[in-house]
Amino acid sequence: MSEVLSWVFAVLFVVVIIAWYLTYTAARLDRLHVRLTGTLAALDAQLVRRAEASLELANSGLLDVATSLILATAAAESLENPGEHGEIREVVENDLTEALHHSLTEAQSGQIREAGPLGVDHLDRLRSTCTRVSLARRFHNDAVTDVRRVRRKWAVRLFRLAGHTPMPLTVEFDDEMPPGLAA
């Protein structure tokens, strides 16, 4: 009887350890998904701020008409798709970055700075938003990497701890600082 009781306790102990591990892993995965949602929201907010700052610069009268039109169009397209993610959003953000690169060459930025404190203010705000977009994208991609690493574990796949949540994807677009904004 003592031997049977020992085996029962051993099996119960193993079952409790496995249950604890699965519970811990599920809670960790849930926390990572919450973090992922937060980083995506932060990235969206920073992209909207960058588009708004670009639109303000385009409408400020500090750029020539053609450059203002190109920049305003790219910024308006970015503002039209604030919650969408995927290829369309990446193309739109790439277009805005390209428009910023064409609009804010070092010579053009120098002319805007010489226009007075309003020009300096616009450029400083745009530099700040571009830096924040770059950081937000990196934080989001780090969160995606962490979620994917946990979701590749055998226990997560075997016991379907992620449920039906789709595998997150990294956000890839050009967020390089325009040469005229580099400090």
Side-chain angles (χ1 to χ4, degrees), residues 48-54 56-57 119-132 181:
V48 167
R49 286 188 182 118
R50 179 177 82 153
E52 287 173 346
S54 300
E56 286 178 13
L57 177 63
V120 172
D121 208 30
H122 280 297
L123 291 177
D124 287 345
R125 180 167 180 228
L126 198 53
R127 179 187 313 109
S128 173
T129 60
C130 287
T131 301
R132 288 179 180 164
L181 293 180

Side-chain angles (χ1 to χ4, degrees), residues 22-56:
L22 291 175
T23 303
Y24 170 79
T25 304
R28 180 171 181 228
L29 188 58
D30 185 52
R31 285 191 308 271
L32 287 172
H33 276 282
V34 168
R35 177 177 152 219
L36 184 66
T37 303
T39 60
L40 190 59
L43 177 60
D44 282 338
Q46 296 308 324
L47 290 172
V48 167
R49 286 188 182 118
R50 179 177 82 153
E52 287 173 346
S54 300
L55 195 56
E56 286 178 13

Side-chain angles (χ1 to χ4, degrees), residues 34-136:
V34 168
R35 177 177 152 219
L36 184 66
T37 303
T39 60
L40 190 59
L43 177 60
D44 282 338
Q46 296 308 324
L47 290 172
V48 167
R49 286 188 182 118
R50 179 177 82 153
E52 287 173 346
S54 300
L55 195 56
E56 286 178 13
L57 177 63
N59 293 329
S60 68
L62 297 170
L63 299 171
D64 62 271
V65 176
T67 305
S68 292
L69 183 61
I70 291 170
L71 189 58
T73 302
E77 284 181 24
S78 177
L79 288 171
E80 287 175 6
N81 302 315
E84 296 179 22
H85 289 281
E87 285 185 42
I88 295 173
R89 180 72 185 261
E90 291 174 5
V91 168
V92 168
E93 295 305 330
N94 278 333
D95 290 347
L96 179 55
T97 301
E98 187 177 341
L100 286 169
H101 279 276
H102 290 301
S103 303
L104 296 174
T105 61
E106 291 183 23
Q108 185 69 30
S109 293
Q111 291 175 354
I112 293 171
R113 287 184 202 292
E114 290 172 1
L118 180 64
V120 172
D121 208 30
H122 280 297
L123 291 177
D124 287 345
R125 180 167 180 228
L126 198 53
R127 179 187 313 109
S128 173
T129 60
C130 287
T131 301
R132 288 179 180 164
V133 163
S134 180
L135 290 172

Side-chain angles (χ1 to χ4, degrees), residues 43 131-143 171 175:
L43 177 60
T131 301
R132 288 179 180 164
V133 163
S134 180
L135 290 172
R137 187 180 68 80
R138 288 183 192 148
F139 288 146
H140 174 71
N141 287 345
D142 287 346
V171 175
D175 59 359

